[in-house]
Amino acid sequence: MRDRLRARLGVRTTTALAAAITVAVVLLVAGAALVLGLNTLLRMQLMSAADQQATQLGERVAANFAGSEDIKRNGILATGKRSDYVEVVTDYNADPGHPPDVQNIGSSDPLPEYPLMADVLVRPGDVEVVDSWVTLNEGKDVEVLVVAKGFEFPPTGQHFTVLAAQPVDFLHRAVDTVLVMVLFGVPVLVVLVGGATYLFAGRALRPVEAMRARVAGMSDRDLSGRVPVPPARDEVGRLAVTMNQLLDRLDGAQTTQRRFVADASHELRSPLATIASGLELLDGSVAPADRSTVRTLRGEAGRLDRLVDGLLLLARSDERGLQPNREDVDLDEIVEAERGRPSDVGGVAPEVRADPVRVSGDRAQLVRAVRNLVDNARRHARTRVLVSLTADGPTALVEVADDGPGVSPADRDRIFERFVRLDESRARSDGGAGLGLAIVREIVAVHGGTVEVAESELGGALFRLRLPLVEAGPPQPEPEPGPELFDDRPEPPTLPARIPPTSGRRPSPAPRTPVLPRPVPIRLGDAPSPADVNPTGPIPTVPPGR
């Protein structure tokens, strides 16, 4: 229960609550002690003041300052004209066998003769303290603390008791004031301490949050980043150093693993090519009884070659990314090609429904992604595989559905991991090593798309692949027509015909003046050539005279 509550509240909230509860308990205990101590201290002060009053009054009466040896006269004279609360009482019945006859033989002016402030008689030298209420002559009731102290009157040997009282209203006001301050001050202090602790805990945990954010931003492909180390060499600083050391070890192990996969895959390609070529040559020269064995080996060699090729692609993706050669690709052509493509996995031929869609990407990689999805569906389908391509808003949507066993919701994220094959697909005849869907995710991610799996209406799995469409450029506006222009060049002057000198020869005819064409209107932006302006050719000129 405690761990569950701590996990739900978090470190900052738990720390703030712990600090607030601790402060609240301490303040409540301190407040209670303060109230009780103040009450006790003020009560002791009142008792001391009342005891001094009783002592002074009792010694004065016992001294017989009136000189009459009458205890009552001494009591009246000693208490007269006093504004405090004092009384002198005595028991006139000295017989122990009869009830006492207690009488007031003197009281201060504010007090009535009866009732007495307290029904208390003490022996000489004894002191008793009681709480009581007194009704003054003016009719006001006052709560008092009464100190009763016993004395002896020497002339007659009679015992008497002096009652001295102190009002306790001041004590109650002081205690109530402190109590109110405690009741209102403790919650305020608790809230302040809790809030301050929450803020300071957040500041103290800020390096931890920086480490968490840095680690959250790392991917499984790149572990070269390191968490910031705070300047303080405390537990948080040592945690940062330890995390960086752990990241160093993980980065080194990952680099070694990638290098091994890449080197092993690269080194296996040449032997596999040799084996495949040898088996192909051997297929035509072995006896018919051994031909099936050779063909089985050729199939296994092809399967191993595809596995190595997939490992090489993933190794390149981990090391430096796939780096596609982007171009405009008609995705519908890739999807339509799956209609009649022969597949090594066999299974059901897919039904294809594709709309014209164009995306930007590497054609070979997109072919591989679509082919892996279709082969996966054909491998698990019972009777039907449906491949569709549509434009869904700004993305191209490829859906591959089958009526196979489907994928449970718990495995829909794990199925795109490497070397993952679900329980229904672990048979050797069912397909590959679990790299096809991992390759699809890598290709789709580098093209800025997504791939997911859901439940198909056919009863099996439905893989959705989304890729961004090619962004069409903004339409070019048609040019606005410009102002009409005319050929306003001046016409050449007409020269008079030259009259030859008279002779016996026949005069030659005068040359004909050429006729200029009418001006043709043209527009800016599409000005024609001079031949278009003058269809008859360049403007002729009249030859000069001979």
Side-chain angles (χ1 to χ4, degrees):
M1 179 67 180
R2 183 185 304 173
D3 295 338
R4 190 185 312 158
L5 182 61
R6 184 179 301 173
R8 180 177 301 176
L9 296 179
V11 177
R12 294 181 64 183
T13 306
T14 303
T15 305
L17 286 177
I21 293 174
T22 303
V23 172
V25 172
V26 172
L27 290 178
L28 287 176
V29 173
L34 176 62
V35 172
L36 295 178
L38 179 63
N39 182 75
T40 303
L41 178 63
L42 294 179
R43 187 177 179 86
M44 291 177 62
Q45 292 179 354
L46 293 178
M47 290 173 56
S48 177
D51 183 75
Q52 290 180 3
Q53 290 178 345
T55 301
Q56 292 176 357
L57 180 60
E59 290 178 352
R60 188 175 183 183
V61 173
N64 190 20
F65 74 98
S68 61
E69 298 183 0
D70 184 2
I71 188 173
K72 186 172 183 180
R73 179 174 178 80
N74 280 274
I76 294 173
L77 293 177
T79 57
K81 298 181 180 180
R82 293 177 65 108
S83 60
D84 53 358
Y85 304 150
V86 291
E87 288 180 343
V88 179
V89 296
T90 186
D91 184 8
Y92 283 99
N93 190 357
D95 187 359
H98 293 81
D101 182 13
V102 179
Q103 294 184 14
N104 184 353
I105 58 175
S107 60
S108 58
D109 293 342
L111 298 176
E113 184 177 2
Y114 293 100
L116 301 178
M117 289 191 297
D119 295 332
V120 178
L121 291 176
V122 295
R123 298 179 61 83
D126 293 343
V127 177
E128 186 173 347
V129 179
V130 294
D131 293 321
S132 179
W133 284 86
V134 175
T135 302
L136 303 179
N137 288 327
E138 60 186 18
K140 182 180 178 181
D141 292 334
V142 179
E143 185 180 4
V144 294
L145 183 145
V146 180
V147 173
K149 194 169 185 178
F151 294 89
E152 181 180 355
F153 188 63
T156 60
Q158 188 175 355
H159 297 173
F160 66 94
T161 301
V162 176
L163 303 179
Q166 288 288 332
V168 296
D169 55 346
F170 170 74
L171 182 149
H172 291 328
R173 287 197 305 270
V175 172
D176 291 343
T177 301
V178 174
L179 181 62
V180 170
M181 293 175 61
V182 169
L183 293 179
F184 284 93
V186 167
V188 174
L189 291 177
V190 168
V191 172
L192 291 178
V193 170
T197 305
Y198 186 83
L199 294 178
F200 289 133
R203 293 181 62 88
L205 293 175
R206 189 173 298 172
V208 179
E209 175 62 21
M211 290 186 285
R212 185 207 64 79
R214 182 67 61 86
V215 174
M218 296 180 184
S219 64
D220 54 354
R221 297 182 182 179
D222 184 13
L223 296 178
S224 60
R226 295 296 177 265
V227 300
V229 179
R233 299 302 179 183
D234 53 2
E235 291 81 359
V236 178
R238 292 194 294 271
L239 174 63
V241 173
T242 304
M243 289 186 65
N244 285 334
Q245 294 174 352
L246 175 62
L247 289 173
D248 289 336
R249 293 193 295 269
L250 291 176
D251 190 18
Q254 187 183 62
T255 302
T256 302
Q257 180 183 5
R258 290 175 179 174
R259 186 181 300 113
F260 170 76
V261 172
D263 294 344
S265 302
H266 181 73
E267 294 297 330
L268 286 174
R269 291 184 67 88
S270 297
L272 285 175
T274 303
I275 292 173
S277 300
L279 290 175
E280 186 176 359
L281 294 175
L282 190 62
D283 190 14
S285 60
V286 299
D290 298 330
R291 191 166 297 170
S292 61
T293 303
V294 173
R295 291 178 178 174
T296 301
L297 293 176
R298 288 182 61 187
E300 293 298 320
R303 180 173 177 270
L304 186 58
D305 183 70
R306 291 190 298 272
L307 174 61
V308 171
D309 187 58
L311 288 174
L312 276 175
L313 186 143
L314 292 176
R316 289 195 302 270
S317 174
D318 291 338
E319 184 176 0
R320 58 182 181 274
L322 294 181
Q323 299 177 354
N325 298 321
R326 293 191 176 273
E327 59 178 345
D328 290 349
V329 179
D330 292 325
L331 193 58
D332 53 308
E333 294 181 0
I334 297 176
V335 175
E336 285 288 349
E338 296 297 318
R339 188 189 303 273
R341 178 181 65 86
S343 176
D344 296 335
V345 301
V348 182
E351 304 175 21
V352 179
R353 303 171 185 173
D355 296 337
V357 172
R358 176 170 290 186
V359 297
S360 176
D362 191 307
R363 184 179 183 85
Q365 294 180 7
L366 294 178
V367 167
R368 185 163 192 166
V370 174
R371 183 170 298 177
N372 286 357
L373 290 179
V374 175
D375 286 346
N376 179 75
R378 295 178 66 173
R379 184 180 295 116
H380 298 93
R382 296 187 180 95
T383 60
R384 190 180 180 190
V385 174
L386 177 60
V387 183
S388 63
L389 170 63
T390 56
D392 185 14
T395 61
L397 175 61
V398 179
E399 293 185 335
V400 181
D402 62 72
D403 59 351
V407 180
S408 63
D411 296 325
R412 289 177 182 175
D413 290 332
R414 192 172 65 92
I415 197 174
F416 292 101
E417 298 177 2
R418 302 174 186 182
F419 301 104
V420 172
R421 292 186 298 175
L422 303 183
D423 294 339
E424 294 82 2
S425 306
R426 292 189 182 276
R428 187 177 182 84
S429 60
D430 282 343
L435 294 180
L437 295 180
I439 292 174
V440 171
R441 185 176 65 174
E442 297 290 339
I443 294 175
V444 172
V446 81
H447 282 79
T450 59
V451 61
E452 61 182 1
V453 60
E455 185 177 356
S456 170
E457 295 181 356
L458 302 180
L462 171 62
F463 287 85
R464 292 193 181 98
L465 187 152
R466 295 180 182 272
L467 295 171
L469 295 174
V470 173
E471 296 183 359
Q476 297 294 335
E478 296 182 358
E480 299 181 358
E484 295 184 355
L485 299 180
F486 296 92
D487 188 1
D488 54 356
R489 290 177 293 182
E491 297 181 359
T494 303
L495 299 177
R498 181 180 180 184
I499 302 175
T502 57
S503 63
R505 293 182 297 177
R506 186 176 179 181
S508 58
R512 302 178 59 185
T513 302
V515 179
L516 296 178
R518 299 181 59 185
V520 179
I522 60 175
R523 297 181 182 274
L524 289 177
D526 53 353
S529 63
D532 295 330
V533 177
N534 301 285
T536 59
I539 300 175
T541 57
V542 178
R546 295 180 183 267

